[in-house]
Amino acid sequence: MDKKFSDESLINFGKRLSFLLRHDTSYQFDEHGYRDVDELVEKQGFTKELLDVIVETNDKKRYEFSEDKKKIRARQGHSVNVNVDLTEVVPPDELYHGTAIRFIDSIEENGINSGTRQYVHLSKDRETAINVGKRHGRPCVIIIDTKQMKNDGIKFYLSNNGVWMTKFVDKRYIKEVIIVPANVG
C-alpha cells in the first residue's frame, strides 16, 4: 500500500472516526451500530479510500464494514445504545483489566463499572492490559476471577477483534492488583 496518508493524519482521522462511530449522539445509527459510509464522505470529510486504510491498518481492529461496504461501525466501546451483535461466550478462568493506578482505590471500593461505555472491557493477557492502562496514566493490571463470575451467572461477550466484555465486575471478583513498574513499557 502506498503511503498516501501520513501517520499523523491517520491518527487524527482515526480518533475522529472513533468518536463518530462510538459516541456521536447527534447521529441516528441503525440498530446494529452502523453508520452510512456516504454520510461520512459527504458530511464528515472522509474519503472511501481513507476509511479503507483506517479499517485495514488499525492495530486494534476497532472498525468493520458491512458486507456491501456501504456502512461502517465500531466493534465495541460505544456510549450510544446500539447492538453490535455480541454472542455470549464462556471466558477463560482469568481475564485482565488495564487501568491507571489513580483508579485503584475506587475500583477496590466499588468494582469496575463501564463508565460511559456499554460494557467493561477485559483483556486476554497482561501485556494488552498494560497497554490499555498506559493510555490513562501509570498502568496497573487487575486480575479478574472470571471463572467464578461465570459460575455466578454473569454473562461475557467476545467482540470479533478479541476484546472481552461484561456489564460490571464486582470487587469480590478481583483476585489481584498489579502495579506496573514505572520503567516497564
Side-chain angles (χ1 to χ4, degrees):
M1 178 182 312
D2 75 85
K3 196 71 170 151
K4 185 172 184 175
F5 305 103
S6 72
D7 291 342
E8 183 179 352
S9 71
L10 284 176
I11 289 169
N12 290 335
F13 274 109
K15 287 179 180 181
R16 178 150 170 72
L17 185 62
S18 178
F19 170 80
L20 291 169
L21 297 181
R22 296 160 83 189
H23 311 294
D24 187 0
T25 58
S26 70
Y27 184 79
Q28 183 63 49
F29 293 90
D30 77 10
E31 67 178 316
H32 299 290
Y34 282 102
R35 187 170 188 141
D36 289 327
V37 168
D38 287 344
E39 187 271 342
L40 290 171
V41 171
E42 293 166 13
K43 296 181 180 174
Q44 302 297 336
F46 289 86
T47 64
K48 289 182 180 181
E49 182 183 10
L50 176 58
L51 291 170
D52 282 338
V53 171
I54 292 171
V55 169
E56 189 63 35
T57 61
N58 183 265
D59 61 340
K60 296 178 184 168
K61 302 297 178 198
R62 282 190 171 129
Y63 316 109
E64 64 187 353
F65 287 107
S66 60
E67 285 188 32
D68 62 8
K69 289 191 86 172
K70 291 182 179 183
K71 295 182 179 189
I72 186 172
R73 72 176 175 184
R75 291 179 162 161
Q76 82 275 328
H78 298 82
S79 60
V80 294
N81 190 20
V82 295
N83 174 3
V84 291
D85 306 312
L86 296 173
T87 303
E88 184 179 352
V89 293
V90 175
D93 291 351
E94 290 181 345
L95 287 171
Y96 306 89
H97 181 72
T99 191
I101 60 172
R102 70 179 182 274
F103 300 124
I104 293 174
D105 290 343
S106 175
I107 288 171
E108 287 179 334
E109 184 176 326
N110 304 307
I112 306 170
N113 64 54
S114 61
T116 60
R117 295 179 172 182
Q118 290 181 308
Y119 296 95
V120 172
H121 291 190
L122 303 172
S123 305
K124 65 179 175 158
D125 57 59
R126 291 179 194 213
E127 295 77 24
T128 303
I130 290 169
N131 288 330
V132 169
K134 283 196 283 192
R135 293 194 320 244
H136 305 287
R138 182 163 171 211
C140 68
V141 174
I142 301 169
I143 302 174
I144 309 297
D145 185 354
T146 49
K147 180 179 181 180
Q148 188 60 54
M149 288 177 70
K150 181 65 181 166
N151 289 344
D152 290 347
I154 296 168
K155 295 179 180 184
F156 288 86
Y157 307 93
L158 180 62
S159 72
N160 44 6
N161 67 334
V163 176
W164 288 88
M165 292 174 277
T166 191
K167 286 289 188 181
F168 173 72
V169 178
D170 190 278
K171 64 184 180 182
R172 70 178 179 258
Y173 300 116
I174 296 172
K175 291 174 77 171
E176 185 178 356
V177 175
I178 300 169
I179 306 295
V180 178
N183 61 346
V184 172

